[in-house]
Amino acid sequence: MNLTRRALLTAAFALPLVAAFTPLTWMGQTLASQGSNGEGEAAPLEQRPLVIHSAQGPHRLSVEMAQTQAQRQKGLMGREVLPADHGMLFTYAREQSPHNGFWMYRTLIALDIAFIDSDGTIVAIMTMPPCESASPSNCRAYAPGTPYHAALEVNAGYFEQRGISVGDCVSLSGNAGACGSP
């Protein structure tokens, strides 16, 4: 095996390991990364308080933190209900492409999704109905058309009912209720 091929193979195996141990940060906070419980089962998702700041006032949610690839892939699949003041926050270590989206394969409830930039500003909002197809290739992808660092899923209609829109701001607990760069 030549040196170039060996270097490429080494890099291919090392990059996922580096990503697995790189601390996840968003809005200046280091977020804990959860894996499995050591018995092959996924650990319960961390719950955190989240506030959406809009002209109509602060809106408080309890969110499950989807921080690992496996947690983000599963998302809210198979859930029959999501309490009114709950959601799921998908966080990423790196900025995501405007073309990377979400889908509703095996998701049973209609959801709103807000795509959020690194400062906590909502950059896109969409409503996603469940995909009724048994084939994932027949499920539409919902891409924001703008880069993002996080995405917040809540029950469909949540944002419209509360007057939450693009340009509003999201903060996690520990950010002293402020938006923008820390």
Side-chain angles (χ1 to χ4, degrees), residues 15-112:
L15 284 176
L17 291 175
V18 169
F21 295 104
T22 302
L24 182 63
T25 59
W26 182 60
M27 292 179 54
Q29 291 189 29
T30 299
L31 305 173
S33 181
Q34 297 189 3
S36 72
N37 64 8
E39 299 172 8
E41 292 181 28
L45 297 179
E46 174 188 2
Q47 296 243 347
R48 302 258 316 254
L50 177 140
V51 179
I52 303 172
H53 306 271
S54 73
Q56 288 71 31
H59 307 279
R60 300 182 194 306
L61 292 165
S62 176
V63 295
E64 296 175 58
M65 302 293 293
Q67 301 172 75
T68 67
Q69 181 70 15
Q71 291 168 341
R72 290 188 297 261
Q73 283 178 340
K74 182 171 182 186
L76 292 168
M77 281 183 180
R79 305 264 185 107
E80 294 180 1
V81 79
L82 180 64
D85 58 349
H86 285 68
M88 182 172 281
L89 183 67
F90 299 78
T91 57
Y92 300 89
R94 291 185 199 89
E95 182 176 81
Q96 298 299 294
S97 164
H99 307 292
N100 289 352
F102 284 63
W103 65 348
M104 296 293 285
Y105 178 64
R106 293 189 177 166
T107 304
L108 307 175
I109 53 179
L111 299 170
D112 279 352

Side-chain angles (χ1 to χ4, degrees), residues 26-27 49-63 84-87 89 112-114 116 120-122 125 152-154 158-160 162-173 177-179:
W26 182 60
M27 292 179 54
L50 177 140
V51 179
I52 303 172
H53 306 271
S54 73
Q56 288 71 31
H59 307 279
R60 300 182 194 306
L61 292 165
S62 176
V63 295
D85 58 349
H86 285 68
L89 183 67
D112 279 352
I113 187 167
I116 306 162
T121 303
I122 296 174
I125 293 177
L152 173 63
E153 289 183 344
V154 294
Y158 182 90
F159 298 129
E160 184 177 1
R162 289 159 183 81
I164 297 167
S165 60
V166 170
D168 288 342
C169 186
V170 176
S171 65
L172 286 170
S173 64
C179 287

